[in-house]
Amino acid sequence: MSVVGEERDLLRFLTAGSVDDGKSTLIGRLLYESNGIYEDQLSSVRKASSAKNVELDLSLLPDGLRAEREQGITIDVAYRYFASPRRKFIIADTPGHEQYTRNMATGASTAEVALILVDARKGVLNQTRRHTLIAWLLGIRRMIVVINKMDLVDYDDKVFHAIRDEFAQFTAQLRGTEFEFIPLSALNGENVIRCNGGIPWYQGPTLLERLETIPTTPELNQHFRFAVQTVIRPDQDFRGYAGQVGSGRVKLGQEVVALPSGQRTTVKEIFLYDRSLPEAFPPQSVVLTTTDHIDLGRGDMLVAPDQMPTVSTKISANLIWMSQSPLRRDARYLIKHTTKVLCGRISRLNHKIDINTLGRVEADSLQFNEIGEVQIDLHNPIFCDPYERNRTTGSFIVIDPLTNDTVAAGMIVEAAPLLAGEGLDESSAGSRVTQQQGLTVWFTGLSGAGKTTICRAVATELLAHGLQVEVIDGDIIRNHLCKDLGFSKQDRDENIRRIAFVSQLLTRNGAIVLVSAISPYRAGRDAARRSIGSFMEVYVSTPLSVCEVRDPKELYRKARSGKIHGFTGIDDPYEPPLAAEIVCNTDQESTRESSSKVVSAVLQYLSAKDSSA
């Protein structure tokens, strides 16, 4: 049935499930029978199929990467377009292997419907459960459970009903979700686009018929959210705010509120490239101008005045942990929310989720592919909504500041509003530091004083301010650049000289260099100061008795027993700074208190340099 004279709407859906459930073959069948394949693509697939001694392997149609074809697996998210007479479709073909769960989460983040494939011979597997849970956490409330390969079980209705019952029992706790079950054979084409009579006991629609009739859920009815990406200032007379419409509509003359200032203004112009528009909507990237000149920058937001987002520094969120390194409670991570990057600390792990029962399990950490609910404390406020209400302002990613790896995807469950009187501090209200000159921040102190811990916390916060930060850790340098050095006074002096030389090069090129090294001799540190120039000394002052109790590497114990000789603080001197710019007493103050002093000093230093430039 053709829709004549009407614009066909668009449905985004993803395919997910365990390995070898037939996702690629199913998508290949949809593309092939809907004429969604170019002739050169089809010719290439026929050639690849002949090498496998088959006429046409439909699974090769969506698997465009050579590595995928050679291994017979899908390892990335492949977005495919096709159309029927009634609707247009974009498919996110997601991988089934556990190590690529992050790719599945990426595909689910923009989909409205999930096709969860189940191999009729294998039933519901762990990866099937995991993908279903992730799709639900990412806000998909319509799922079609495709029970594939029914031809391999002789189209037995008992197999279909057994899988349907098991799946329904597993998903009973996934509130507000519509599940439908469709039996088919992607290989034979049975019940994909048309019913060929192979499943007489099934009276429901074919897969394509159901995809054509599922209601779409446009984001236009949501409240207006526009995160500023950059400010456009080609001359003194024009000030435009560039970004993507996250949700809702914006029209000429519409009143909006600028966050964090709270100032109200009116939209004056809307530009898409070189065209002026009467309105804009998701996912258009546009430039807005307002009737009033407002001090907005990257990470700030324009919103609808009648439905404001929550301004919060404390959020509860579901996390999908994507890193081989486990979650570290109380460690500082970078949080990227809309266009804003800020520092966050995972202060509590409320629970993790058992993917087999969907029950809550107590845990101290999250491992690779595990899912849990956490509380995150942010060093600056964000403007957010619960994920169920708004995917754009309710989602974020977690980044390891040292490796720059994305370690988790997060969905906000609840945000605690700022209390009356808390307000927005200067840094959160848009203070913008322009880094024009580098600086070396040198952390010195005894082993176990807390230098590395504070250094990493400072690095995370400075990265959140958009600064170029490099960390030089004394232990790492010892394993690489200074691997040939021992621990005599001469070798220790040479160790510091090399660190200072590298720091001077980085500082000269505009980096904020954070050095964490015992550096026991005052003369060596003073020489580093003279050679580098832009230098700030941080004395991590911790009593020897406290360091010995901490003893994270058991070095003090070995030194006391005579297994290590010339150890700083035991049988080799440590010379404290006489006039360090900053002193951190880690036996009396928290890591956050210590790091805040350093960050504040660095930002003040850079601001002073900006003012004098």
Side-chain angles (χ1 to χ4, degrees), residues 32-54:
Y32 179 66
E33 295 199 6
S34 64
N35 298 315
I37 302 295
Y38 291 111
E39 189 58 40
D40 60 334
Q41 292 176 313
L42 191 57
S43 175
S44 175
V45 170
R46 289 188 189 279
K47 183 178 180 180
S49 299
S50 64
K52 301 171 64 175
N53 295 319
V54 296

Side-chain angles (χ1 to χ4, degrees), residues 365-386:
S365 181
L366 290 179
Q367 305 293 327
F368 177 62
N369 271 348
E370 290 188 329
I371 300 168
E373 183 180 289
V374 301
Q375 180 174 299
I376 301 178
D377 298 337
L378 304 167
H379 85 301
N380 278 336
I382 58 173
F383 319 119
C384 62
D385 301 281

Side-chain angles (χ1 to χ4, degrees), residues 496 521-531 535 537 577-578:
I496 297 305
Y521 307 130
R522 193 176 298 124
R525 298 192 301 269
D526 290 344
R529 181 188 291 271
R530 289 192 298 271
S531 66
F535 188 93
E537 191 171 30
L578 297 178

